[in-house]
Every structure is written in C-alpha cells, then in structure tokens.
DNA sequence: CATGAATGAGTTTTCATTCAT
DNA sequence: TATGAATGAAAACTCATTCAT
C-alpha cells in the first residue's frame, strides 16, 4: 500500500475528517483517535503528519477559512457595483458550504479555541481583517466616512446571524439570512440605493 | 461543624466559581477540582450538591442568564417610550457585568455546550425568545409588521458584536458597542425617530 | 479503606517501590504503572501524590541520599580520631544497605538522570559536597594542605569501587572494598599512621 | 543509485551518530529515528543494517572501547619502564577524545545498559579485564604480590574520576585528573620510584 | 540499496466520579 | 455536611519496527 506522495492526501483527509468530526460532535472535544479513524488511518500517523492535536485543529480551521476566502473572491469577481460587492460578501458568508451545520459547529468551536490558542486567534484575526476590508471597499464609494461603521455593523451582523444558526432549533434558511442582512445594508446606505 | 442550610450557599459559591473559572480559562475545559477549589470546598462536595459536572455548568449558565434577565428588566422598567425600551435592551446587553471578558468567555463556551447539552440549548432558547419578545415590544409600535425582522436583526447584531468581543484583540468598548447597535436601530426605524 | 493521613504512607511506599523497581530493572526505564503496582496502588494515585514521574524519581534519589547521610552521621559519631573519621565514611559508603545491588543500580541510574534533570544534579552535588567536607575534616589534621587532594582521591576511589560493583560480575565484597580504600588512605597519610 | 559496499560506511556513520546523540542527550533515551537522521539515512535503513536498536547501541559501545583500546596500545608502545606503562594507561584514560563530555555521557549510559544487556556487560567486562591486565603488567615489577591490589585500586580510581566528570559541574581538567591518579600511584609504589 | 508509509504497543498524565469515614 | 482517598477510563503522544515499492 505505501505509495509515494501520500502526505498531502493524508493531510487532506485528516483536515476533512476533523471538520466532520467537530461538526458532528458540536465541539472541539474531539479525540485524535476518532479523527484518524474517520480519516482511515491510525492516530499515530495523524501525529506523524501534523505533530500534534492543536496543529490538526488549526489546519482544519485554516481549511475552512481558505474555502470561505475562495468563495468570497469568486463572488466578488462577478460584482461590478459597490452594492453588488457587499451583496457578494453576504451571499458568500451564507453559502451552502458555509451554512452547513457541520461548518457552523466547527466555526463556533474555533471561536472558543481562539481564546486560548494564539494560532487560532491569528487565523480568526486574519479572517476578520479581510472581511472588514472587503466590506469597506464596498461601502466606501457609497458612504464615504460613514463606511467604517457600516462595515463594522454588517460584519458583526453576519457573525451574529451565523452564530445563531449554531442553535439548530429555530434557525433560518440561507435565503432568509441573506435577506435579513441585506435589509440592514439597505438601511445603512439609504433609500436612494 | 457542619451548619444547617449550607446548600444554597455552597451552590452559589460553586456557580460563581464556575463562571470565574470558565472566564479565566476561556473555554469549558475546566475541571471540577479547580471549580471546587476556587469555591473553597472539595470536588466531592461539588458533586454532592450538583450531581455532576454538566449540571454545575448548566447552573452557571442559568445564573448568567438570570443576571442578564434582571438587568434587562431593570432597564426596561425605566423606559417609557418604545425607542427607550429598545435602547434599554441594548444597553443591558453591553452592561459592564455582561461585557467583562470573563462573562463573554463563559457565554461563548455555553454556546458551544448548547451544541451537545439539551439543557444548555433550552436555556439559550429561552434567552433568545425573551430577547426577541422584548425587542418586538419595542419595535412593534414603531414598525408594525416590519417589527419582526427588525427585532431579528438587532438580536443578531447584538450577538455578533458580543461574540466578536471574545477575540480580545481589536475589541471595542461598551459605549462603542451601544452606539453601533443604536445606529442600526435608527436606520431601521427611520430618521424621524 | 480510605483513612486519614495516608499521604506519608503512600509517598513512602512509592519511594521504596521506586528504588526496588529501578534496582530490579537496572535502569530508569521504569514505568509509573509498575512502581505504583509494586506499591499497591493505582498509577493515578502516584501522580496525585507526586505530581509526575520525575518527582517520584527525585524523591527516591533523595531518600537514598538521606539514608546514606544518616549512615555516615551515625558512623562519624563514634569516631574519635581523624583516621577513624575517614574510616567511618568509607565503611558507611559500603554499608550493607548501600551495597545492595538494588541500591547500586538505582545510584547508577541517578547518575545518568543527573545528566538531564537539574533536580537530580543538585542532589548529587549536595552528596558530593558533603562527602568532600567530611573527608576533608578527616584528612586536614593529618595532611594539612595536602588534605584537599587526598579527599578528592578517596572520594573518587569510593565512587569508582562503588560503580564497578554495578557490573554484578566479578564484583568484590564489602569488606574487600573497605580494605582496598583503606590501603589507599594509608598510602596517602603515610606510614606513620 | 545504490552503490556497492555501502554497508561499512553506513554502519560507521550510524555508530558515530549514536555516540554523538547519546552524548548530546546525556542518556540512552535516544531514538533510532534521531540517530538515523544524524547519520543521514532513514531509520528503516538503520534497522536493516543492525537488526534493532540494542544492536546499534552495542556497536557504538564497542566502537568506544575499540578507540580506547587503540589509544592505550599506542601509549604503551612508547613506554619503556613499568612506571611509564602505568602512566601511559592513565594518560590514555583521560585523553582528549575520552574526556569529551559526549564520550563520558555515552560511557555512563553504557554502564547502565550493561545492567540489562548481556552484550553490553560482556563488552564492559572485556574492557575491565584489559585494563586490569595492563595495570598489572606495570605494577608487577614494582610491587610483586601487592600488584594486584594496586591495579584494582588504580582501575577503580580512574573509573571514579571519570564518572565524576559526568556531573559537568565542578569537574576537573584532564591534567588535574592525570595528576590526581599519578599521586595515588606514587603513593602505592612508594617514594623511591 | 534505500525509504516513505504505517502501526501496535506502551507511557505519562488528567479527571470525573465514588466511597468510607 | 464534608472530605481525603482512590481509581477506571481515556487522552495525547512516542517509538521501534515492518513492509511494499
């Protein structure tokens, strides 16, 4: 069985298994053994490739963030007006992939992990900076100096709607989420838009 | 010399110690031993009074929610216009007690616990229902049938701002938080208010 | 079973079990589980009382050193001439308790541990200082300024004879060891004594 | 491109890497992986050539002993009086190569290993026999029937001084070591020599 | 000849929980 | 009421060793 070039395959499988496991468990209380099993290998191999549990977790988080970033970039590429840019970000935030219970659970768990892990915090900070600068680029042409606060508001609102989804019960659909945030955006940029 | 009626005192001490410990740790990875030590008793006694770790955790969450509820009620009592009611809720949400890093950390941790513990989820659902109905009571006179979405928006925004505070870095102050949310409220209810 | 005041009993049992286990294994490759089992308790309890494996090991070393120190002190108390003092130290070094294969194995293992553990090194340094000052007190009246080198020589010789004993094969008896070192002492202090 | 006759090269590299690694670690707690890495090959290859960790360790020990033996032989070749022979052995024992912290650490570690590994014990026994017969050859012409005990004494003293060096702190230099042992030799063979 | 891949067995350590007193 | 004592179960992590290529 042992072929060459297994490392990227194994790492990838582990990252995906980690997200799945966290999502299923709803928390970071996930054992390396379970992750490895789900990924179809021994826990020793997981350690071999990642060095330790924390690094597996961080890699999983990075993966989610990367996917999200790609989604945003893809949506932004098709947006040609400022308002469309904002819309694109909102839509990407609540895209099917991001809105899966699994992903939300993992995301929430990472928030908690960021409380103690510098690596996790750094990643989350990067995500937030990007989000902010993307929103700002959309709001600036529309609101000039009021763009800052608008970006902050929409950023927080997205996070809030997203996090509320974590309580599976009484959750709203993706479309509802998009509509809700968009209504707020409309309120911020004024009736004229 | 064992005194009578120690139970409420012990329970209270444990609940407070739990919140402090969770806040300090930034996660639910808190041992019963540490909580009990902080509360000045043996872990065996903690078990005796609560039956198990999960129940201690839930009691702590209930405590936070109760405090928050009292704060909201107190603020609402002094509000005599719909807008003032909304304002009161926002202010209470970011009150000094609620905005302490400790409390935020505990709150976040409970969100995660709600993923797996039905008790925790129920408590969180109650909090959300109350929040929603309170906001609705404020928005209804101002927005009629658009009140629902406004309440949902502000609720989510509060959660979002709150949760963002958990990343201690780049956080905003209480006043800024209140102002941010209020700006959004103003946008929702229109210029006239 | 759980009575009060078990701690010193348990600690003592663990220390003795550790020495026995190290002696039996002939190296520090000894598991906490085995030590605990020999001491009649779970490994968890061993950790509870000592905090970790290293501390158990250091405690065992300290125990050996304490025993040795007591033996030397006892022997010295009965010595009334300088030469008798030196003799007492030599005899104590090769006392039955110290010359047991178990003890020698443990001693040797600790030498190795001192390479990496600061605690172990400190203990060994203390032992050496005491040994040196004791020998010096014996040699000074006899050799004046040549006492230093004599003390160093006899100290090293004792260690050498002792360590050679670790290779069970071709070892000498206690009496032979004492005679050997004493011959050297006689050579050092001159024929007249 | 696998070359022919790599075996001796690989084995040699592994042996040297082993000694270096043991010396650096100060104990036998050395992994095959680290040794192999230091020797520039995979751990699998190390196993291939030696069969197992223990055998690698024993080979390393044999290497040290061989070096030491050669050094002694070289020094003896230039000695033309009995006393010079003894001197040569002492000097070789504390030669720069043997007195390196690395070597001393490895030596000490092997002493411990000899407690459990018959192979290691056999090697150490050989070393001791040689040492003894070499010293005896020097002492016999000088001391006749007292040569035995003198050889034993000096052998043990060399070991003792050597082992004391392992506690890096408060160690003496090579020259001091030689002087110390020589003073003892002088004492043993008497003033006239 | 050489190695990346893979793992089973073992080690330390932690912790919620139980129990006799 | 209160606790020190005690442990079983599980977790992360390590490592010598094997094997297909």
């Amino acid at each position: 069985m042992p072929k060459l070039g297994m490392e990227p395959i194994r790492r990838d499988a582990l990252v995906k298994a980690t997200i799945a496991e966290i999502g299923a468990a709803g928390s970071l209380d996930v054992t390396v053994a379970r992750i490895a099993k789900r990924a179809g290998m021994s826990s020793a191999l997981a350690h071999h490739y990642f060095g330790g549990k924390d690094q597996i977790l961080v890699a999983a988080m990075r993966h989610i963030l990367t996917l999200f970033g790609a989604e945003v970039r893809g949506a932004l590429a098709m947006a040609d007006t400022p308002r469309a840019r904002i819309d694109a970000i909102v839509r990407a935030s609540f895209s099917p992939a991001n809105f899966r219970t699994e992903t939300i659970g993992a995301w929430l768990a990472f928030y908690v992990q960021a409380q103690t892990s510098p690596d996790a915090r750094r990643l989350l900070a990067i995500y937030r900076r990007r989000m902010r600068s993307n929103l700002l680029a959309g709001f600036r042409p529309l609101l000039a100096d009021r763009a800052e606060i608008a970006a902050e508001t929409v950023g927080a609102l997205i996070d809030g709607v997203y996090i509320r989804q974590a309580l599976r019960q009484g959750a709203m659909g993706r479309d509802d989420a998009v509509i809700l945030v968009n209504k707020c955006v409309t309120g911020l940029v004024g009736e004229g838009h």
Side-chain angles (χ1 to χ4, degrees), chain A:
Chain A
M1 260 171 271
K3 293 167 196 162
L4 267 60
M6 289 303 282
E7 174 152 358
I9 297 170
R10 293 302 198 182
R11 290 181 75 102
D12 198 58
L14 279 168
V15 160
K16 279 175 182 145
T18 303
I19 294 168
E21 202 66 32
I22 291 174
S27 83
L28 281 177
D29 275 342
V30 160
T31 69
V32 174
R34 284 188 68 89
I35 293 172
K37 188 172 191 182
R38 191 186 276 257
M41 72 194 81
S42 72
S43 64
L45 195 55
H47 273 95
H48 174 67
Y49 280 127
F50 277 98
K53 187 186 185 183
D54 282 3
Q55 281 147 287
I56 298 178
L57 258 25
V58 167
M61 187 174 175
R62 181 173 290 128
H63 183 74
I64 288 184
L65 257 22
T66 302
L67 286 186
F68 176 71
E71 211 142 5
V72 170
R73 253 194 317 282
L76 281 177
M78 299 184 296
D80 44 12
T81 70
R83 179 60 202 256
R85 293 178 69 84
I86 299 169
D87 219 59
I89 296 163
V90 175
R91 268 176 208 290
S93 299
F94 302 125
S95 77
N98 285 319
F99 226 51
R100 271 171 22 222
T101 333
E102 263 181 352
T103 311
I104 296 174
W107 193 267
L108 189 52
F110 287 138
Y111 254 86
V112 172
Q113 205 201 10
Q115 297 290 103
T116 46
S117 154
D119 280 336
R121 190 175 318 194
R122 200 175 318 123
L123 282 176
L124 228 38
I126 290 172
Y127 149 74
R128 189 158 301 173
R129 266 202 301 280
R130 278 207 204 133
M131 176 65 107
R132 188 184 133 85
S133 87
N134 281 333
L135 285 171
L136 220 40
F139 277 116
R140 190 87 70 187
L142 304 171
L143 295 176
D145 57 336
R146 285 181 303 139
E148 301 262 349
I149 200 165
E152 189 68 30
T153 301
V154 173
L157 183 55
I158 290 173
D159 278 8
V161 169
Y162 197 84
I163 234 81
R164 286 192 157 209
Q165 213 66 13
L167 288 196
R168 285 147 198 186
Q169 153 188 331
M172 56 174 69
R174 285 189 298 117
D175 295 336
D176 292 333
V178 172
I179 290 169
L180 185 97
V181 178
N182 268 340
K183 284 238 166 89
C184 178
V185 172
T186 302
L188 287 164
V189 299
E191 303 273 324
H193 298 267

